[in-house]
Every structure is written in structure tokens, then in C-alpha cells.
Amino acid sequence: MAVIGLQKPDAARAALMGRVRQRDTRPEQAVAFALRSLGIAYRKNVRSLPGSPDFANKSGKWAVFVHACFWHRHTGCRRATTPKANRDFWLAKFAANRTRDARAIRALRAMGFRVAVIWECRVTDAERRLSEMLEPRGIDVSRAVDH
């Protein structure tokens, strides 16, 4: 069934979008490095939690999402552009992404989790942000860990 108003993506666009990584992106690698440097234990892509957080620790009750500014619509960010072609499709997709993200964060917080969203454009500040989130829970982030 064809949806009126939506264009079929051309082969070049489909190939380009197919190369977009979903896991182990550079921003995720930077956040993993920050967590390791803080000496914090974590699991990646925890499917048993709402929204499958990129990083989480169930016993410590915290979760971290690493969001790409484009896909998750980082408000006010220059990377959160909207493609001109097939605009209605993209606006609907981005709205669904934001709704899904908000639902996952609400569900995690209802379970007693602390949740942080690290945006790809602000990943250089990840260690400070993670330290702020984890210290109030009594997780000692100042201790050194040998890797």
C-alpha cells in the first residue's frame, strides 16, 4: 500500500542511510571512555530496560542515552536539520523518535533510575556530566581504576 505524499528514496540516498551506524558510534565510544576513566561499571545496549539505554547499571540504577543530534532532534543544535526531500516523512519520523525517547526516559525514572542524555555535539563534556549524575548516588567516581 503506497502512502500518498511520501517518495521512495533513491538508491544513492538508501545507500547513504544504510551506512549510518547504530551502535559503537564515535560519541558512544567517547562516553564509554569517560565511564571507564571514572571507574564505573556498566553494560551496553541493555535491552531489558525501557528504551535499551546505550549504557546502564541496574544495581546502581542509572542509564545513559547517547543521542545523535540529527535523529533525536537536539533543540537549537545546528546538526538537527530537516531534509528538504520527503519533508513530511522526516517530520513524522523525528516526532516519533522524540515521543519514544520521552516515553523511555519516563519509564526509567518511574523505576527509580537516574537518566542522562549525552548529545553527540556535547560528548566532549560527557565525563563531567556523568560525574554529576553518579556522585549524588554515592558512587565514588574519584577512585582510580587500572584498565
Side-chain angles (χ1 to χ4, degrees):
M1 178 170 107
V3 177
I4 297 173
L6 298 181
Q7 303 168 1
K8 183 178 178 190
D10 63 16
R13 172 64 60 186
L16 176 69
M17 298 310 280
R19 288 195 303 270
V20 174
R21 297 182 79 174
Q22 293 180 1
R23 296 200 175 155
D24 292 324
T25 62
R26 282 193 182 131
E28 284 183 14
Q29 291 171 355
V31 171
F33 180 81
L35 286 167
R36 284 191 305 272
S37 70
L38 291 169
I40 306 298
Y42 62 87
R43 297 267 184 230
K44 289 179 69 174
N45 306 308
V46 184
R47 296 182 61 107
S48 61
L49 292 175
S52 299
D54 297 303
F55 301 95
N57 183 305
K58 287 183 183 180
S59 62
K61 290 224 174 226
W62 59 265
V64 176
F65 292 96
V66 182
H67 283 342
C69 298
F70 174 78
W71 293 108
H72 298 272
R73 312 312 290 165
H74 187 193
T75 306
C77 180
R78 65 179 177 81
R79 295 179 184 182
T81 60
T82 302
K84 290 180 176 84
N86 219 1
R87 187 171 176 79
D88 291 339
F89 165 81
W90 287 108
L91 292 174
K93 177 162 185 58
F94 295 146
N97 286 353
R98 289 191 65 128
T99 300
R100 185 184 64 241
D101 294 342
R103 187 173 39 243
I105 290 169
R106 276 194 310 273
L108 285 165
R109 288 186 175 150
M111 295 168 65
F113 277 72
R114 288 184 161 237
V115 180
V117 174
I118 306 292
W119 293 98
E120 74 173 316
C121 67
R122 296 192 178 153
V123 77
T124 55
D125 197 28
E127 190 168 336
R128 180 195 59 80
R129 178 92 192 276
L130 293 168
S131 179
E132 287 174 359
M133 179 184 80
L134 298 171
E135 281 181 352
R137 282 286 175 107
I139 299 170
D140 184 8
V141 296
S142 62
R143 62 185 163 87
V145 173
D146 293 328
H147 294 286

